[in-house]
Amino acid sequence: MITNSQRRHKIIALFLFGFSLFYFLGSFRLKMGNLKNPGPGFIPVAIGFFLVAFTALYVFRVLRGPSSTGKKEMPPARDKNYRAIAGILLCTAVYPFILEPLNFIFSTLIVCFIMLLLLRPGKILFSFLLSLAMAVGAFLIFARLFGVGLPSGFLEVFLFRIGGPT
Amino acid sequence: MVEIAQGLLAGFATALKPLYLYYALLGAILGTITGVLPGLGPLGAMAILLSFTLSMDATGAMILFAGIYYGAMYGGSTTSILLNIPGEAASVVTCIDGYKMAGKGRAGAALTVAAAGSFVAGTISILGLMVVALFLSDIALRFGPAEFFAIGVCGLLLLARLSGGSLLQSFIMILVGMALGTVGVDFLTGTERFTFGNVELGQGIDFLPVAMGIFGIAEVLTTVEEKESFQTVQKVRIRELLPTGQEWRRALPAMFRGSLLGFLIGLVPGPSPVIATFVSYISEKRFSKNPEEFGEGAIEAVAGPEAANNAAVGGAYVPLFALGIPFTPAMAMVLGTLMLHGLTPGPNLIKEKSDLFWAVIASMYIGNFMLIVLNLPLVNVFVSILRVPKNILMPVIVIICMIGVYSVNSSLLDLLLLAVFGLVGYILRAEGFQAAPLILAMVIGPMLETSLRQALNITGGNITEMIFRPICLSLYILASLTFFVPLLMKLIRRGKKRTPAHRERVLG
């Protein structure tokens, strides 16, 4: 019977092989040049070739079973917080899309609040207040203290002016 | 010698300026905190702070990072001794006997010996760094592209062998890193490679989002995987900190041996501080008059490895300063910082930016002194950081990573790459792949490509001429030996096990 972990190994191995193949084939679009005058595709083709060879070997090993990869099968994971992992990843992926339209404080507040809720479920007010403190604190530290240029609206401009010019 | 003394004096004059003292102190404190926190090692801290060093000058940034690196080594030993939790990988060995010593009521002595060992090792490795880096950079000035290509190839081969885990997986990671390094406009011909028409990708994939994703976000994801657990933190009284005369007599030689070993191992590519601690532990046990005490609270087993991991830090700076090639992921961060500040690391750096080199060396002395003064009295304060719930700490780290990445180029693509490489790092970690070879190959890859193409141009495509140059040939032979001898030994051992005589012996 195939365990979840074995299935995962196979998917990852096949993904790596797919990536290698994609890179290798893509590198042929570039000019190779010759040994005297190597072109922009010279190194990518070489990298692609070895990448395909090594990942193919890896796929072969994984498909042959756990003993051939040298990995011991881990006991099934207990109590893993997959919801939090997926949530944090989603927050990191969504942040670039909301950062400029919503500006720094509001977008950071949303992302932080969701992450805290996922990690401390049930503590809504606490999570909101902590997120607000983090967003405002981060803005003051990074924008004012370190001079980092962050997307700003009226709230950020107001906060930036507190305490006079830097 | 006079040159070294003059350089060092000038370095102290720079490093003792209030602003640089502040950076050294900040680095030491931040480093200790990251060393104390399990998971978040010096690399994570450097990755997070890399973009914020833009508001400093190059010297300040280098001083801050040196402090973080040393501080993390100090901090890691604290939790190993008091809680049996290695703050970072280089402190795993310290757990074995350090925690046993704590159990016997000698936690204070173990902490002092670890701190003293780190201080002695720091000082010795800085001396080594000064001498070896100056010597090597003088020689490296005569190196051509063929030699730099040979150094890069040897570095990557050794990295694959030493970075732990499966050799095949390490090679795949190196090649993926090199593939990522080829994205962007080819600097020689102006041809776009793997940009898919994206203007931002034309500048290449930035090292920062990849490093922060793989080391920062992936670390957060791995940490939140498990449910919250609270640590009972043991208190250490100041008066318990002093080791006895007998303990000092046993610890001091181990510190010196560990320092020497650590420095030499630090010169080799790979996770040198981690390897140094294991080698030091094994050699201390072999040379000890009381090997039976190892594993039960032997003070040499704390002093040696702790000295070794700190000395390896100094050793790791040598190839970076002398050749401009990073051999550890942390040094890749330092290289990234230098490049962010418009400096090109290489043999000329020490000559052209001698003020920076000597200021960093001097600040390492100062940082080491600060660490020993700070860490022992404040040990309870640093350990209490572990009481901050990780479900509050982790969102903070994610936010810092995101702001850090955005602040360098104000690029939304970099933020997306951070998320992508966070996921990639998390999956690869779960699959047993090492991230360090990927990061290093991504940095070394473009250097290798440049050197190879220049060397082929110069030699008119004559590969034998490239290989049979004296330095290149020696390097290739050395790398082949280091790479293939362990493989051969393994095959021979496996062959022996299959002989009928061996089977009979085993089965009785």
Side-chain angles (χ1 to χ4, degrees):
Chain A
M1 206 181 98
I2 299 175
T3 63
N4 275 345
S5 129
Q6 282 169 330
R7 194 174 299 128
R8 203 186 58 208
H9 293 326
K10 284 176 188 168
I11 293 170
I12 303 297
L14 286 170
F15 178 79
L16 277 170
F17 183 67
F19 168 79
S20 310
L21 218 53
F22 173 74
Y23 181 83
F24 187 45
L25 295 176
S27 65
F28 279 108
R29 287 193 197 156
L30 302 163
K31 262 190 174 175
M32 272 269 287
N34 52 41
L35 269 183
K36 275 185 191 172
N37 194 15
F42 188 79
I43 290 283
V45 167
I47 294 172
F49 172 76
F50 285 113
L51 202 50
V52 169
F54 285 126
T55 48
L57 185 62
Y58 186 65
V59 170
F60 175 69
R61 274 193 182 187
V62 170
L63 292 180
R64 258 174 53 193
S67 58
S68 55
T69 54
K71 276 181 203 161
K72 284 177 188 166
E73 277 305 302
M74 302 296 279
R78 290 178 288 117
D79 261 2
K80 280 198 175 176
N81 201 349
Y82 285 118
R83 209 174 58 134
I85 295 170
I88 290 175
L89 264 174
L90 198 69
C91 286
T92 338
V94 165
Y95 193 66
F97 297 102
I98 61 169
L99 180 63
E100 286 183 351
L102 297 182
N103 295 322
F104 179 78
I105 292 182
F106 199 48
S107 52
T108 308
L109 170 73
I110 293 171
V111 163
C112 210
F113 180 61
I114 295 170
M115 284 195 284
L116 280 171
L117 268 188
L118 287 165
L119 293 166
R120 296 172 77 95
K123 298 190 172 178
I124 297 174
L125 185 65
F126 175 81
S127 298
F128 177 76
L129 292 176
L130 195 61
S131 310
L132 187 66
M134 276 189 201
V136 173
F139 181 78
L140 289 176
I141 291 170
F142 294 113
R144 244 190 109 84
L145 216 64
F146 292 137
V148 175
L150 297 168
S152 302
F154 76 93
L155 193 60
E156 285 81 2
V157 173
F158 170 73
L159 275 173
F160 203 82
R161 283 183 187 155
I162 291 177
T166 44
Chain B
M1 228 26 215
V2 179
E3 190 195 345
I4 291 178
Q6 279 175 342
L8 201 57
L9 273 177
F12 270 108
T14 312
L16 283 169
K17 284 179 185 165
L19 184 67
Y20 293 140
L21 277 177
Y22 164 69
Y23 288 149
L25 181 68
L26 187 68
I29 293 172
L30 288 174
T32 309
I33 292 170
T34 51
V36 164
L37 291 169
L40 194 70
L43 202 60
M46 285 179 178
I48 290 167
L49 291 169
L50 187 75
S51 50
F52 303 119
T53 61
L54 279 173
S55 55
M56 309 169 184
D57 61 353
T59 311
M62 295 291 284
I63 288 174
L64 181 81
F65 276 12
I68 289 175
Y69 208 173
Y70 276 110
M73 296 297 156
Y74 270 74
S77 62
T78 307
T79 46
S80 295
I81 292 166
L82 294 180
L83 302 162
N84 202 22
I85 300 170
E88 35 84 43
S91 303
V92 171
V93 172
T94 313
C95 282
I96 307 170
D97 286 75
Y99 190 63
K100 281 277 162 79
M101 280 184 75
K104 290 176 183 170
R106 303 299 298 148
L111 283 168
T112 305
V113 162
S118 301
F119 182 74
V120 168
T123 309
I124 289 175
S125 73
I126 293 162
L127 285 171
L129 167 62
M130 288 189 313
V131 178
V132 181
L134 283 176
F135 172 72
L136 199 60
S137 72
D138 274 344
I139 296 174
L141 282 172
R142 277 170 257 155
F143 286 3
E147 280 80 9
F148 276 106
F149 178 71
I151 293 169
V153 169
C154 296
L156 289 179
L157 277 177
L158 291 177
L159 184 70
R161 158 99 9 249
L162 298 173
S163 55
S166 136
L167 197 60
L168 180 62
Q169 287 181 327
S170 295
F171 269 123
I172 293 173
M173 285 295 94
I174 286 176
L175 289 164
V176 170
M178 288 180 79
L180 291 175
T182 59
V183 175
V185 174
D186 173 42
F187 74 104
L188 281 178
T189 57
T191 312
E192 286 193 2
R193 301 192 294 191
F194 308 103
T195 58
F196 311 105
N198 187 308
V199 182
E200 276 192 79
L201 271 181
Q203 292 164 10
I205 294 181
D206 205 356
F207 163 75
L208 189 65
V210 179
M212 274 192 172
I214 284 182
F215 290 105
I217 302 290
E219 188 57 58
V220 170
L221 297 176
T222 314
T223 310
V224 299
E225 221 177 43
E226 275 133 34
K227 303 274 178 188
E228 184 80 62
S229 62
F230 289 94
Q231 290 297 333
T232 321
V233 182
Q234 195 179 333
K235 281 240 166 198
V236 180
R237 290 190 184 89
I238 299 288
R239 63 171 180 273
E240 289 170 358
L241 286 171
L242 271 185
T244 62
Q246 165 78 3
E247 283 170 333
W248 276 123
R249 273 193 294 280
R250 287 176 60 175
L252 275 170
M255 285 178 200
F256 285 100
R257 282 192 294 268
S259 305
L260 198 65
L261 259 177
F263 180 73
L264 293 174
I265 294 170
L267 300 172
V268 180
S272 44
V274 185
I275 298 169
T277 53
F278 280 97
V279 175
S280 167
Y281 186 85
I282 294 163
S283 59
E284 284 307 323
K285 192 175 179 181
R286 193 165 286 171
F287 291 119
S288 174
K289 287 174 188 161
N290 317 299
E292 71 285 351
E293 283 182 27
F294 277 68
E296 298 300 325
I299 200 153
E300 302 96 314
V302 175
E306 275 304 311
N309 72 28
N310 263 55
V313 173
Y317 269 94
V318 173
L320 181 77
F321 273 134
L323 307 169
I325 300 174
F327 276 177
T328 67
M331 286 304 109
M333 290 287 172
V334 176
L335 178 89
T337 316
L338 284 170
M339 287 163 91
L340 269 179
H341 286 87
L343 296 172
T344 314
N348 285 319
L349 184 80
I350 297 180
K351 292 269 181 293
E352 286 168 6
K353 297 292 289 180
S354 61
D355 49 339
L356 177 134
F357 174 74
W358 289 110
V360 174
I361 297 274
S363 78
M364 284 177 173
Y365 279 111
I366 296 165
N368 262 294
F369 183 71
M370 278 178 178
L371 281 165
I372 204 163
V373 171
L374 268 178
N375 276 22
L376 288 176
L378 296 180
V379 65
N380 291 320
V381 178
F382 284 118
V383 172
S384 67
I385 293 163
L386 284 170
R387 294 197 186 103
V388 177
K390 67 182 179 191
N391 49 24
I392 291 179
L393 204 62
M394 293 306 126
V396 174
I397 294 174
V398 174
I399 297 290
I400 293 174
C401 282
M402 293 195 293
I403 302 172
V405 164
Y406 183 79
S407 62
V408 178
N409 298 319
S410 302
S411 158
L412 297 178
L413 178 75
D414 281 355
L415 277 175
L416 263 179
L417 286 173
L418 174 79
V420 170
F421 282 99
L423 175 66
V424 169
Y426 174 68
I427 293 171
L428 292 179
R429 202 177 282 207
E431 285 296 296
F433 283 90
Q434 300 289 322
L438 187 150
I439 294 287
L440 276 179
M442 200 182 152
V443 176
I444 298 178
M447 294 180 191
L448 268 183
E449 182 179 6
T450 312
S451 306
L452 177 68
R453 285 168 74 180
Q454 283 174 344
L456 285 172
N457 266 324
I458 292 167
T459 59
N462 189 343
I463 294 176
T464 46
E465 199 185 317
M466 272 177 65
I467 296 173
F468 288 98
R469 290 164 76 98
I471 295 170
C472 299
L473 188 65
S474 329
L475 283 167
Y476 288 130
I477 291 172
L478 185 76
S480 309
L481 285 176
T482 331
F483 192 78
F484 291 112
V485 167
L487 271 180
L488 274 174
M489 302 273 278
K490 205 175 167 183
L491 284 175
I492 292 168
R493 271 201 299 270
R494 204 179 280 174
K496 268 185 187 172
K497 275 183 190 169
R498 283 180 186 162
T499 59
H502 181 269
R503 263 188 225 144
E504 265 175 40
R505 263 204 312 277
V506 172
L507 299 171

